[in-house]
């Protein structure tokens, strides 16, 4: 078996810069913030999550479509607010977030969720 560490590849500081561990989606909008396309993976949107080439994930378009449908339904019906909790992550077979100082409580992403139709 060959294990391709996509989590590590998508957080490579030589590619994404010294703040590769930081969730900063605006980096895709800043001119010059990303490496030249020729130096990036050719995977979807410059990330390696779905692999690339002849062995690209055959379901990546369906996965992206499902993600967009779910996100549009959630954002249309709910308002999400940060709780101010400081999160950390651990690597396993997936990336697992937890509240700093409360790792023993397991995987968590605290949010305040408000129903927009009430």
């Amino acid at each position: 078996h060959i294990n391709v560490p996509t989590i590590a590849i998508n957080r490579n500081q030589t590619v994404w810069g010294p703040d590769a561990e930081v969730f900063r989606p605006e980096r895709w909008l800043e001119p010059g913030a990303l490496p030249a396309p020729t130096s990036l993976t050719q995977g979807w949107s410059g990330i390696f999550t779905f692999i690339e080439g002849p062995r690209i994930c055959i379901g990546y378009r369906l996965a992206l479509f499902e993600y967009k449908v779910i996100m549009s339904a959630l954002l249309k019906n709910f308002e999400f607010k940060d709780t101010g909790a400081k999160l950390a992550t651990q690597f396993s077979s997936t990336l697992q977030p937890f509240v700093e100082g409360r790792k023993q409580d397991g995987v968590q992403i605290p949010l305040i969720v408000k129903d927009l139709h009430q």
Side-chain angles (χ1 to χ4, degrees):
H1 294 274
I2 296 174
N3 182 18
V4 179
T6 54
I7 292 172
I9 290 170
N10 286 337
R11 292 166 175 250
N12 187 334
Q13 289 186 357
T14 59
V15 175
W16 304 109
D19 65 346
E21 291 285 329
V22 177
F23 177 71
R24 207 172 55 82
E26 63 273 9
R27 76 177 80 229
W28 273 264
L29 302 175
E30 297 169 358
L34 297 179
T38 55
S39 66
L40 291 174
T41 177
Q42 298 305 304
W44 177 79
S45 197
I47 58 174
F48 197 63
T49 305
F50 296 107
I51 313 294
E52 63 179 82
R55 295 186 184 260
I56 192 166
C57 173
I58 61 172
Y60 87 93
R61 285 189 177 99
L62 177 61
L64 293 174
F65 176 73
E66 289 175 334
Y67 175 76
K68 290 174 184 179
V69 168
I70 291 167
M71 288 303 295
S72 66
L74 288 172
L75 294 174
K76 184 172 99 176
N77 293 296
F78 299 97
E79 179 181 345
F80 299 90
K81 292 186 179 179
D82 187 357
T83 63
K86 298 293 182 196
L87 298 180
T89 55
Q90 68 181 9
F91 292 109
S92 181
S93 57
T94 60
L95 184 62
Q96 299 175 342
F98 61 92
V99 175
E100 285 184 3
R102 294 182 50 198
K103 189 174 182 178
Q104 72 279 1
D105 294 339
V107 175
Q108 302 175 47
I109 303 180
L111 285 174
I112 297 171
V113 181
K114 177 184 173 189
D115 186 340
L116 295 175
H117 301 291
Q118 285 187 347

